[in-house]
Amino acid sequence: MALAAGLAGWSRLYAFSSDFWNQKQPSDWSSQEIDQLTSKSPWAKEVSGTLADGSQNGMGRQRGMGIPGMGGGMGGGGMGGGGMGGGRRNGGGMPSQSYKGTVRWETAKPVMEALKTAGFPEAFKDHYVISVSGFPVNGGGRRRQQQSDDDNSSSQSMEETLDRLKGVTALQPKTKRDVQAGVVQQPPSAAYDTVWFGFSKDMLALKPEDKEVTFVSQFGHLSVKTKFVFKDMIYRGELAI
């Protein structure tokens, strides 16, 4: 019952504050509306979770990610934007860090219009592009590797990290087989904790009748999981993905 109430409340939130993207031209969207569309909308989901300090050494207890409108969600809690939060202590008395971020469907037409996105690198051609931002790419601890004296070594390390992310990231349709990310890159001019994931449209042709799809990934010890509901992602009469 509580789960049903949470989902109903989330639907009502969209019904109350949304539809401006269908009622107004993009040039008439306010900065507040653009912020809503790109950070908390059917195409942009806030997720949050915690990471115990000792978890990188196998000492801490991993916590899951929260899904907006569903209370505790997948074992995590709360909603929020990008960044790192305060330090509660877990059951073992170890301080923990809270991470908050956003999972956004970048190739959705309203998102591209809101951000004035001209396009994506050639590698993402014929791919759905979904971004994750606000979480440390290495999954915790230091949020960015310090500049190495050997730039080639540093670049290789990031390539290995992105390749690992490719292997643990997928779209999970309700009625079709899961599809793993085929392309993973960091945007050239975006924040260091933003990652783009590309999923082949040839391997996964999503349609309104598929109803929903779940995005899953694993940033180190942080599990990222959120659901996109297609009936809420209709833009000017068409599914916008």
Side-chain angles (χ1 to χ4, degrees):
M1 293 294 293
L3 175 60
L7 289 173
W10 185 239
S11 297
R12 286 194 298 271
L13 173 62
Y14 278 147
F16 177 78
S17 62
S18 72
D19 265 346
F20 68 83
W21 45 77
N22 283 321
Q23 297 173 5
K24 301 164 63 175
Q25 292 299 316
S27 58
D28 295 328
W29 295 345
S30 68
S31 58
Q32 183 177 9
E33 288 171 334
I34 289 174
D35 181 66
Q36 177 189 336
L37 193 151
T38 58
S39 63
K40 188 164 60 176
S41 74
W43 297 277
K45 304 301 185 73
E46 291 182 324
V47 290
S48 62
T50 57
L51 172 69
D53 285 351
S55 65
Q56 294 185 82
N57 298 321
M59 299 292 291
R61 181 179 178 182
Q62 178 183 335
R63 296 179 182 269
M65 310 305 298
I67 301 179
M70 296 180 65
M74 302 298 293
M79 301 189 302
M84 184 170 64
R88 284 192 308 163
R89 290 184 175 269
N90 61 22
M94 298 174 59
S96 61
Q97 295 176 329
S98 298
Y99 292 90
K100 299 179 181 181
T102 302
V103 179
R104 184 168 65 207
W105 206 296
E106 297 287 342
T107 43
K109 189 173 182 179
V111 173
M112 294 184 67
E113 291 180 335
L115 298 177
K116 294 180 169 56
T117 304
F120 298 90
E122 181 65 22
F124 289 100
K125 183 179 180 181
D126 296 325
H127 283 66
Y128 306 112
V129 179
I130 296 176
S131 69
V132 176
S133 60
F135 298 101
V137 175
N138 63 358
R142 295 160 66 188
R143 298 197 59 177
R144 185 180 179 92
Q145 182 180 351
Q146 291 183 344
Q147 182 66 40
S148 171
D149 290 336
D150 185 345
D151 290 339
N152 291 332
S153 176
S154 178
S155 176
Q156 182 179 6
S157 176
M158 180 54 68
E159 288 180 4
E160 291 174 350
T161 297
L162 296 178
D163 191 59
R164 182 194 62 78
L165 283 171
K166 183 191 299 185
V168 295
T169 303
L171 281 180
Q172 300 176 335
K174 196 171 184 179
T175 58
K176 298 177 180 177
R177 296 183 61 181
D178 298 357
V179 171
Q180 181 179 315
V183 184
V184 181
Q185 294 183 11
Q186 286 192 295
S189 58
Y192 63 80
D193 57 359
T194 297
V195 180
W196 280 347
F197 296 92
F199 300 88
S200 171
K201 295 179 180 180
D202 290 334
M203 296 182 65
L204 181 61
L206 294 170
K207 300 178 181 179
E209 50 265 34
D210 293 317
K211 295 185 178 180
E212 62 185 44
V213 67
T214 300
F215 172 90
V216 295
S217 189
Q218 187 84 19
F219 281 60
H221 290 271
L222 289 172
S223 296
V224 180
K225 183 175 183 178
T226 193
K227 183 184 296 183
F228 291 93
V229 180
F230 290 169
K231 68 180 178 64
D232 296 326
M233 301 171 73
I234 301 301
Y235 179 61
R236 306 196 185 282
E238 297 183 353
L239 176 62
I241 52 177

